[in-house]
Amino acid sequence: MVALSNLRAWVCLVLAAAHVDGYIVSGFSSGANVAINTLFAFGCPADAEVPRPGLSRTCAEGMMALGGSPYGCNILPDSGATGKGNVCGTPPKNENWTAHNIRFLKYIEGREKAGLIAPLSSLRGKPVFLYSGLHDSIVNQPVMRALNAQLLQLGLNVTSIFDVPSEHAWIVDDFTCPNPRTPQLSSCCGDKGIVGQCESEPIPPLNASAVHAPTCCGSCADGSVGGWWRPPINNCGLDLSGAVLKKLLGASSLEGGRGRRLPARLLSFNQTVYTEVSANVSFMDEAAFLYVPSGCSVSDDCVIHVHYHCCDCNWRSAGEQYMLDNALLDWAETNRIITLFPQALNSDVTGHCWDWYGQTGENFDTKRGLQLNAVGRMIANVSRITAVPWPQ
């Protein structure tokens, strides 16, 4: 463990070796929408001009989304953004997504013409990974299938998993959850209280594959609490994190295999330095987190992965558990992947979510977006971030 007195210099030294010309981005729920927006705004080609001072050439090279909606879904009058309807989450069964995607394409082309997003030609061929559980009751699967169709139409290289019977949850396997038969309400392992649609369903057998998962897995409501358990991670016999990183970085980039994350390498820092506006304008928390693999202290080829958490999953709601227990860091530790966890504001005004429909301004999903630019500045200035271990 690094001594606290030496940590600040150590963090700057470690991160000076990171590549910031490109990065990958992933997100869950509202975080998925921000990841999607990031790809459209900053999915620039390698020779792109600097989008604005202080951002360098920070280009999104690949994207993953779990429980998100198509780019432009916010323009629908019943999108759910204003409390009228919720087409972008729980649409009627006969919703015409083909017509919606035509409308979204005009919106996208308008933003491209105005120079607010990357040229659509630069998105072609970029790797994308999409996940949607069969029983997702927060963002129904037809919404994610519409996103899949949209991205395929634009020429992206899309891999999707839509056949796992999970709820609105990040999915792991027995490696991450070594005691799946032990009831634990506070973690991804075991029985979750069993009420609602998961009632009486068996838990996954040891070493189960996704195709042998039970008829319902993922987040179940806890009857003793009356709400969704946090963080929404559960064992469905699928290493989702590994599948995502292999797609976005290439299997050859993960030759280190899957290890075990080191909690002492999870660091916190003040992200208000990068937001440039107050929290009630940016809707971003004071703190953000950074995982620095031990190998990055001697490596010159560490890559950067930005992960946007789900609604009600920031550190004030879920502590460090969501970051440490979703298996992303198990792969990061052994494959030199620096992982950035920006944090949305834990506010009832935003529903404890990221801005997926324009609360921070009409350009929220473009190069001018407050949240997108704040995180872009973090990436561009990653070698100068001063961080301390979490928990302090």
Side-chain angles (χ1 to χ4, degrees):
M1 181 180 295
V2 178
L4 287 176
S5 60
N6 297 328
L7 185 69
R8 290 174 182 246
W10 170 75
V11 171
C12 290
L13 174 62
V14 168
L15 299 187
H19 289 166
V20 296
D21 284 351
Y23 59 94
I24 59 172
V25 59
S26 62
F28 174 13
S29 196
S30 65
N33 286 85
V34 181
I36 294 162
N37 294 344
T38 298
L39 182 65
F40 275 86
F42 296 116
C44 45
D47 59 351
E49 296 181 358
V50 176
R52 58 170 288 183
L55 270 188
S56 185
R57 284 194 295 111
T58 52
C59 300
E61 299 297 343
M63 184 275 295
M64 180 271 184
L66 187 166
S69 55
Y71 186 92
C73 200
N74 56 287
I75 67 174
L76 298 178
D78 51 354
S79 65
T82 61
K84 179 184 177 182
N86 188 22
V87 169
C88 299
T90 56
K93 291 183 178 181
N94 61 348
E95 196 68 27
N96 190 343
W97 286 105
T98 299
H100 290 333
N101 271 341
I102 293 173
R103 182 174 180 180
F104 299 156
L105 181 59
K106 293 179 181 178
Y107 174 79
I108 292 168
E109 291 173 340
R111 267 157 151 55
E112 178 192 32
K113 185 176 181 180
L116 294 173
I117 61 174
L120 294 180
S121 59
S122 69
L123 299 182
R124 295 190 188 111
K126 285 189 180 292
V128 168
F129 191 105
L130 304 179
Y131 179 89
S132 177
L134 288 170
H135 299 305
D136 194 321
S137 63
I138 303 300
V139 179
N140 296 168
Q141 194 169 101
V143 181
M144 282 290 291
R145 289 186 178 275
L147 171 63
N148 185 74
Q150 179 186 67
L151 298 181
L152 286 174
Q153 181 183 16
L154 293 172
L156 285 92
N157 178 8
V158 182
T159 293
S160 59
I161 294 181
F162 292 157
D163 61 352
V164 178
S166 66
E167 240 287 5
H168 195 65
W170 193 274
I171 304 306
V172 297
D173 62 4
D174 291 345
F175 183 94
T176 300
C177 179
N179 299 300
R181 297 184 183 279
T182 303
Q184 294 177 332
L185 288 178
S186 62
S187 76
C188 63
C189 299
D191 201 321
K192 294 296 176 288
I194 307 297
V195 297
Q197 68 175 16
C198 294
E199 188 169 5
S200 300
E201 296 293 352
I203 57 177
L206 289 172
N207 302 314
S209 65
V211 295
H212 295 110
T215 54
C216 178
C217 55
S219 289
C220 302
D222 171 13
S224 65
V225 176
W228 287 68
W229 56 282
R230 289 287 182 249
I233 302 171
N234 203 24
N235 184 357
C236 295
L238 171 68
D239 176 22
L240 180 61
S241 294
V244 168
L245 293 173
K246 288 175 184 177
K247 172 68 177 183
L248 301 190
L249 295 175
S252 62
S253 297
L254 299 175
E255 293 179 349
R258 178 162 46 159
R260 292 292 187 187
R261 79 285 190 279
L262 303 175
R265 310 293 295 195
L266 182 65
L267 312 171
S268 63
F269 66 94
N270 181 0
Q271 70 178 5
T272 63
V273 175
Y274 306 98
T275 58
E276 293 189 344
V277 293
S278 63
N280 63 355
V281 176
S282 70
F283 295 115
M284 294 178 68
D285 194 86
E286 179 182 356
F289 295 82
L290 195 67
Y291 185 83
V292 183
S294 52
C296 287
S297 59
V298 294
S299 174
D300 62 357
D301 60 352
C302 295
V303 298
I304 297 176
H305 174 202
V306 180
H307 180 76
Y308 290 97
H309 61 74
C310 54
C311 294
D312 207 25
C313 290
N314 84 342
W315 73 277
R316 297 185 189 273
S317 297
E320 77 281 11
Q321 191 178 354
Y322 176 74
M323 295 176 277
L324 290 176
D325 290 354
N326 63 22
L328 287 172
L329 301 185
D330 290 340
W331 287 96
E333 175 58 33
T334 49
N335 294 282
R336 301 184 301 278
I337 303 170
I338 294 170
T339 309
L340 174 63
F341 296 99
Q343 301 289 296
L345 190 66
N346 199 40
S347 168
D348 292 339
V349 175
T350 62
H352 309 256
C353 298
W354 289 100
D355 181 13
W356 67 271
Y357 60 85
Q359 287 175 300
T360 58
E362 63 180 0
N363 289 320
F364 75 101
D365 56 355
T366 74
K367 296 177 183 179
R368 299 178 185 174
L370 290 180
Q371 293 182 346
L372 299 189
N373 268 293
V375 176
R377 281 187 285 272
M378 294 179 207
I379 298 167
N381 295 284
V382 72
S383 63
R384 290 178 286 278
I385 288 178
T386 299
V388 296
W390 174 263
Q392 298 181 39

